[in-house]
Amino acid sequence: MNYDVILIRYGELALKGKNRDQFEDALVRSVKSVLRSFFKVKVRRNYGRMYVELHGEDAYAVMERLKRVFGISSFSPTIQVDPDIETIKEKALELIRQLKPEPRTFRVVTRRADKRYPIPSMEVNRIVGTHILRALPAIKVDVHEPETIVNLEIRAEGTYISCETIPGPGGLPVGVSGKVLLLLSGGIDSPVAGWMMLKRGVTLEAIHFHSYPFTSERALQKVRDLAQKLTKWGGTVRLHVVPFTEIQTAIREKCPEDYLITIMRRFMMRVSERVAENTKAKALATGESLGQVASQTLESMDTINKVISIPILRPLIGMDKVDITDLSRKIDTYELSILPYEDCCTVFTPKNPVTRPKPYLAAKFEEALDVEALVEDAVARTVIEEITTKPKETTTDLF
């Protein structure tokens, strides 16, 4: 079927009141960005709806891109017709005939947003439905669970007919909720956390702690590849790669073994807070899930949180591993995450880490370290990489 326009709907944005225009403008920018390679496409919006005019572009290729745009609740490929009822009848019949396999049941749903249109919605439903029934004897009406719904939207800017409604990812357009710095490891959890933060409209940057030679270049490349997966949902991700070897070595030499993970995480938070300040990020985000590992008990989180004042967002906090893993498969990060390249958190994991660390004990053990010097050195030697939607376009510069 040669479609004319893809009609985009957005649910949560409609509740934004006086800020609605700001959110809709952000969604327009997101849609234009993901469709920039479709040169003939035109994007426009009217109150409550957005339209992607195809002008001959492949509707299905365009829709594959729209499935990754946060802020879209659903969309439909449509044909645009004149509001004449005879034209509507014929085009609706033509559209339903194109469906494979041919549906056995249907209903017609009309939304008459343009109240100047002289025929009431229920009457349009009856006229169009009757026409389809007479032309297709094998099909029946089912108003409760039809196989196909013929959607008619009669609006001031045009009349649109569709038989498909494709769910979007929902959420808010990327960029409307400020900037967040994601602690990105090579595991399953943190990329999912990043995806969930993008869904709430943040601009995402990422920070990774690399302990060469204890962790390999392949481990770092895995993190780059995971960040690249996230760019498909939120655009370019700036990845801050922190040299962490000196900090981890000092902790291992001077601190009790059972507190290694706790103190290491406290240093990660200190460094991340400095980087966030430099990048104007308003919060940190992690892939922590309550009770999943020793460093993710409430006591551990409290002890780790004590060293910084910036908010820490934990979007996975109430999810279990099965839920997180299922979502990682849906967003296509799982296969990368399970590659057997260790990160800095797994290399130095003690046999019996403390599960209920005390903040005063962690602070006491850190007295053996020059905390400020170690943090400043790590921040100064942090390298920024621009991760784009195309892996080969990665560029690097010093912090």
Side-chain angles (χ1 to χ4, degrees):
M1 186 70 190
N2 294 321
Y3 293 106
D4 304 311
V5 176
I6 296 172
L7 187 152
I8 295 174
R9 307 174 189 87
Y10 31 93
E12 191 171 351
L13 302 194
L15 306 176
K16 294 302 177 182
K18 294 181 180 179
N19 294 324
R20 180 169 175 167
D21 283 345
Q22 173 190 343
F23 283 82
E24 290 187 9
D25 287 343
L27 183 56
V28 169
R29 290 194 295 271
S30 293
V31 170
K32 287 181 176 179
S33 178
V34 300
L35 299 182
R36 60 185 178 275
S37 61
F38 295 92
F39 301 111
K40 297 178 184 178
V41 156
K42 301 294 181 185
V43 180
R44 60 183 174 86
R45 73 176 175 94
N46 206 315
Y47 193 79
R49 290 289 187 268
M50 190 175 300
Y51 305 91
V52 178
E53 299 174 355
L54 295 170
H55 299 289
E57 295 282 11
D58 183 345
Y60 290 96
V62 169
M63 289 189 289
E64 280 302 309
R65 300 284 183 90
L66 295 179
K67 290 177 182 178
R68 300 196 301 264
V69 179
F70 289 119
I72 294 177
S73 62
S74 67
F75 54 88
S76 296
T78 74
I79 53 175
Q80 184 173 0
V81 302
D82 293 331
D84 172 70
I85 191 63
E86 294 300 319
T87 303
I88 292 173
K89 285 165 49 179
E90 292 304 323
K91 290 297 183 179
L93 175 61
E94 179 183 336
L95 191 57
I96 205 167
R97 275 178 165 158
Q98 298 291 325
L99 298 178
K100 301 297 180 186
E102 184 176 301
R104 293 168 296 180
T105 59
F106 82 106
R107 67 178 292 199
V108 180
V109 175
T110 301
R111 294 175 177 84
R112 191 171 59 105
D114 183 3
K115 300 305 180 185
R116 297 171 300 175
Y117 191 72
I119 307 175
S121 298
M122 294 299 293
E123 183 66 9
V124 173
N125 293 345
R126 187 192 64 77
I127 294 170
V128 175
T130 300
H131 183 68
I132 293 171
L133 284 170
R134 287 174 176 170
L136 303 174
I139 201 171
K140 296 181 179 180
V141 171
D142 185 341
V143 297
H144 300 294
E145 295 184 354
E147 291 184 7
T148 295
I149 298 176
V150 179
N151 283 298
L152 308 176
E153 293 225 6
I154 302 173
R155 307 178 69 84
E157 62 269 21
T159 299
Y160 306 90
I161 309 175
S162 66
C163 286
E164 294 181 75
T165 298
I166 300 158
L172 299 175
V174 170
V176 299
S177 299
K179 185 184 292 184
V180 168
L181 182 65
L182 170 71
L183 277 70
L184 182 62
S185 70
I188 293 172
D189 301 340
S190 57
V192 176
W195 182 86
M196 292 184 72
M197 294 311 307
L198 287 170
K199 186 173 182 177
R200 297 315 303 159
V202 307
T203 299
L204 197 69
E205 297 199 16
I207 186 168
H208 177 70
F209 295 86
H210 185 51
S211 295
Y212 183 82
F214 302 116
T215 54
S216 67
E217 178 62 27
R218 288 182 298 180
L220 177 56
Q221 185 57 47
K222 180 172 80 165
V223 171
R224 293 186 182 115
D225 293 340
L226 287 168
Q228 197 271 328
K229 291 286 186 182
L230 293 176
T231 66
K232 295 178 181 180
W233 300 88
T236 298
V237 173
R238 299 175 82 223
L239 175 63
H240 304 258
V241 181
V242 180
F244 206 53
T245 307
E246 287 77 6
I247 291 176
Q248 283 197 294
T249 301
I251 295 170
R252 186 171 62 171
E253 290 176 353
K254 298 182 178 180
C255 298
E257 182 182 11
D258 59 341
Y259 266 76
L260 290 183
I261 293 295
T262 300
I263 294 174
M264 182 186 71
R265 295 285 293 177
R266 282 161 63 97
F267 269 91
M268 286 181 174
M269 293 300 172
R270 291 180 175 107
V271 172
S272 297
E273 184 177 46
R274 301 285 182 89
V275 172
E277 183 179 353
N278 290 336
T279 61
K280 295 181 171 56
K282 300 299 183 184
L284 307 179
T286 75
E288 293 166 299
S289 172
L290 186 60
Q292 189 175 120
V293 296
S295 63
Q296 296 177 22
T297 63
L298 282 177
E299 291 85 356
S300 289
M301 292 180 188
D302 179 58
T303 299
I304 292 165
N305 290 359
K306 294 291 187 185
V307 298
I308 61 172
S309 58
I310 191 172
I312 303 176
L313 307 178
R314 295 180 170 95
L316 310 186
I317 196 70
M319 297 175 68
D320 62 31
K321 196 66 175 184
V322 173
D323 296 332
I324 297 168
T325 300
D326 287 345
L327 187 48
S328 74
R329 287 193 173 99
K330 290 178 182 177
I331 65 174
D332 194 30
T333 58
Y334 177 77
E335 295 300 330
L336 275 174
S337 293
I338 63 172
L339 291 175
Y341 307 134
E342 293 183 313
D343 60 34
C344 64
C345 293
T346 56
V347 169
F348 290 103
T349 301
K351 292 182 180 179
N352 296 298
V354 62
T355 58
R356 291 178 170 78
K358 302 293 191 293
Y360 76 90
L361 283 178
K364 179 180 178 181
F365 298 143
E366 287 173 349
E367 291 176 0
L369 305 168
D370 191 340
V371 173
E372 185 61 25
L374 288 168
V375 171
E376 285 189 0
D377 178 66
V379 173
R381 293 190 295 117
T382 293
V383 172
I384 301 174
E385 302 183 8
E386 298 281 341
I387 309 296
T388 69
T389 53
K390 295 180 180 179
K392 293 183 179 179
E393 294 180 2
T394 300
T395 59
T396 302
D397 59 55
L398 290 177
F399 187 87

